Amino acid sequence: MISVGVVVQRYGNEVVGGAETLARNVAERLLRQGYRVTVYTSCARDYLTWRNEYPAGESWLRGVRLRRFPAARERDLSAFNRFSDEFFAAPPERRDEERWIAEQGPLCPDLLAALATAERETDLFLFFTYLYYPTVFGLRALRKPAALFPTAHDEPPFHLALMGEVFRRPRALFFLTRAEMDLVRRAYDPPGRLSLARTGLDIPAEVDENVFRRRALLVAPYLLYAGRIEKGKGFEEVFAHYRLLKREAYVDLVLLGRKGMDLPAIEGLKYAGYVSEAEKLAAFKGALLSLQPSPLESLSITTLESFSVRTPVLVNRRCPALMEHVQASGGGLAYGDAEEFLAGFRALYRRPARRAAMGEKGLQYVRKYYSWDAVMREIQAGIQEILK
């Protein structure tokens, strides 16, 4: 039996995040396919503070063995942001990159010690997300083969000098989009196996959009965003574009997810908070279109979820991963300014036949490339090649 260690910064049913969800899905599916799986993670539920909320030690979740380690300190996000501003403003030769990674967190030295001890009983380690302390220092601590799911995009930390080791040390790298794979290849030319594994999606059979409409008391047509609501995700532009849109159509803008920024007072802008997975899919199903305004995405699972219920997307054209989805599927449109945003809206507003045709293309794209069977075949092929 092949023994696999999964290393990820957070893990749990309550943990919301693309890389964390991917790690959980892969761990559970490897377990069902006969692998022995142990997850090494922090006690944190919240990625902003890394506060220790889960109990340290061993536990089990859906049959997967978990080993949780406490963060040595919580993160003061305001202080970290000030430090980061100064760090990236400094010349590269004056930056203490290891300190930045430690401040980024979650700072779990006991996790690193556990990885070194676990090497004797582990055949392969899978790391999720390039950006955090457990990955950067965990890869250094190991001699056994390792593979990395980078979930990378073009941001300042991606270009740190120590990231060369992060991307070149693994025997294999699994990517979520071709845009991500091309980015890493150009920047670091990794010697390991490069594989476009993507991620899997459970495509719903039937979704009743009225479940969400009734909950949110929605009457008008609406645009939908689901995900983290915070600065850097492109919302400032979207709010400005929405103000212009309101002059020509009675359409709401609905936001779902964790709110990490103040929202402007715009008539029709509605924050619906957290919802269940079923309600989220119902919200996508009922939307005129879904929005993904972030310029920095390595995948965007919400774009695929929108496709899965035949709802077209309108995405930020500055994001290569999002443009890949739109261009490869034909299931959405892109905008770079207010004029393109409004043109994308007009292309689908009161044009149900075009909206339905575009939504069907999105669904077929997800079925073809994002089934779990296809994803796990690629991951297992990579594991087998590494362990030859």
Side-chain angles (χ1 to χ4, degrees):
M1 180 183 292
I2 296 174
S3 177
V4 175
V6 171
V7 184
V8 64
Q9 62 275 4
R10 299 181 298 155
Y11 193 98
N13 284 333
E14 306 84 0
V15 170
V16 179
E20 293 88 346
T21 300
L22 175 62
R24 191 170 71 246
N25 278 314
V26 170
E28 291 174 4
R29 282 167 171 80
L30 286 175
L31 181 74
R32 291 201 292 268
Q33 291 170 7
Y35 293 75
R36 186 166 62 246
V37 181
T38 302
V39 173
Y40 299 85
T41 190
S42 73
C43 295
R45 183 181 303 176
D46 174 18
Y47 75 99
L48 297 177
T49 66
W50 304 121
R51 182 174 298 115
N52 295 315
E53 297 186 60
Y54 292 111
E58 185 172 310
S59 60
W60 300 81
L61 179 62
R62 297 182 185 173
V64 176
R65 180 190 181 212
L66 309 183
R67 294 188 64 190
R68 295 189 185 277
F69 302 89
R73 60 173 180 262
E74 289 186 21
R75 180 166 67 170
D76 180 328
L77 189 60
S78 295
F80 173 70
N81 287 339
R82 290 193 297 272
F83 168 66
S84 287
D85 289 343
E86 295 173 359
F87 174 86
F88 286 109
E93 64 274 11
R94 293 178 55 191
R95 297 172 181 169
D96 185 344
E97 294 187 350
E98 294 194 359
R99 181 191 168 193
W100 187 88
I101 294 295
E103 295 292 336
Q104 165 79 323
L107 185 62
C108 300
D110 290 346
L111 187 155
L112 302 186
L115 292 181
T117 301
E119 278 196 297
R120 293 190 298 271
E121 60 188 35
T122 308
D123 298 303
L124 170 77
F125 289 89
L126 302 180
F127 288 81
F128 287 80
T129 303
Y130 83 97
L131 186 60
Y132 296 106
Y133 174 91
T135 292
V136 174
F137 291 103
L139 283 168
R140 283 187 184 179
L142 296 174
R143 294 181 299 276
K144 280 288 182 71
L148 172 65
F149 294 75
T151 65
H153 48 256
D154 195 354
E155 58 186 342
F158 176 77
H159 299 283
L160 294 177
L162 58 69
M163 290 304 171
E165 181 182 9
V166 170
F167 286 102
R168 295 188 184 108
R169 181 178 289 269
R171 299 275 188 90
L173 292 98
F174 294 106
F175 298 99
L176 305 186
T177 63
R178 191 168 298 281
E180 182 197 5
M181 184 164 65
D182 290 344
L183 171 69
V184 171
R185 182 187 284 123
R186 288 194 305 269
Y188 294 107
D189 190 23
R193 180 184 194 268
L194 306 187
S195 175
L196 183 56
R198 298 185 169 93
T199 187
L201 196 69
D202 294 317
I203 299 174
E206 294 293 334
V207 176
D208 180 4
E209 66 183 74
N210 293 314
V211 170
F212 179 73
R213 279 191 173 277
R214 287 192 296 267
R215 177 194 183 279
L217 303 177
L218 294 172
V219 176
Y222 63 93
L223 314 181
L224 178 74
Y225 169 83
R228 296 200 301 268
I229 303 163
E230 56 191 33
K231 292 181 178 179
K233 290 281 189 179
F235 285 107
E236 292 82 357
E237 290 181 352
V238 164
F239 294 148
H241 302 340
Y242 178 61
R243 283 190 171 96
L244 297 175
L245 186 155
K246 288 287 291 182
R247 297 176 186 175
E248 59 184 75
Y250 177 48
V251 175
D252 291 335
L253 172 55
V254 178
L255 309 182
L256 300 180
R258 176 174 183 153
K259 184 162 67 74
M261 61 182 289
D262 294 330
L263 300 179
I266 306 174
E267 184 180 357
L269 175 61
K270 301 178 185 298
Y271 173 61
Y274 285 106
V275 297
S276 67
E277 287 299 308
E279 288 176 319
K280 180 174 67 171
L281 289 175
F284 276 121
K285 178 71 173 179
L288 175 69
L289 55 81
S290 69
L291 299 176
Q292 183 44 269
S294 173
L296 299 174
E297 294 290 323
S298 59
L299 174 67
S300 180
I301 194 69
T302 55
T303 294
L304 303 179
E305 289 173 332
S306 185
F307 284 163
S308 78
V309 293
R310 296 184 173 91
T311 296
V313 299
L314 182 59
V315 306
N316 188 332
R317 70 164 56 256
R318 294 194 297 274
C319 178
L322 295 175
M323 288 302 296
E324 179 178 327
H325 290 319
V326 167
Q327 292 171 345
S329 69
L333 301 167
Y335 69 91
D337 55 24
E339 184 177 343
E340 279 193 306
F341 186 94
L342 294 174
F345 167 74
R346 293 172 189 140
L348 298 178
Y349 185 54
R350 293 179 177 170
R351 301 182 70 177
R354 183 173 185 183
R355 180 184 177 278
M358 193 172 287
E360 185 63 29
K361 289 179 180 179
L363 175 61
Q364 295 309 315
Y365 173 72
V366 169
R367 282 179 172 163
K368 182 175 182 180
Y369 295 111
Y370 291 91
S371 73
W372 273 114
D373 286 345
V375 171
M376 293 309 298
R377 278 197 301 271
E378 189 65 37
I379 292 172
Q380 286 184 282
I383 289 174
Q384 293 299 328
E385 185 173 320
I386 292 169
L387 297 180
K388 281 181 181 177

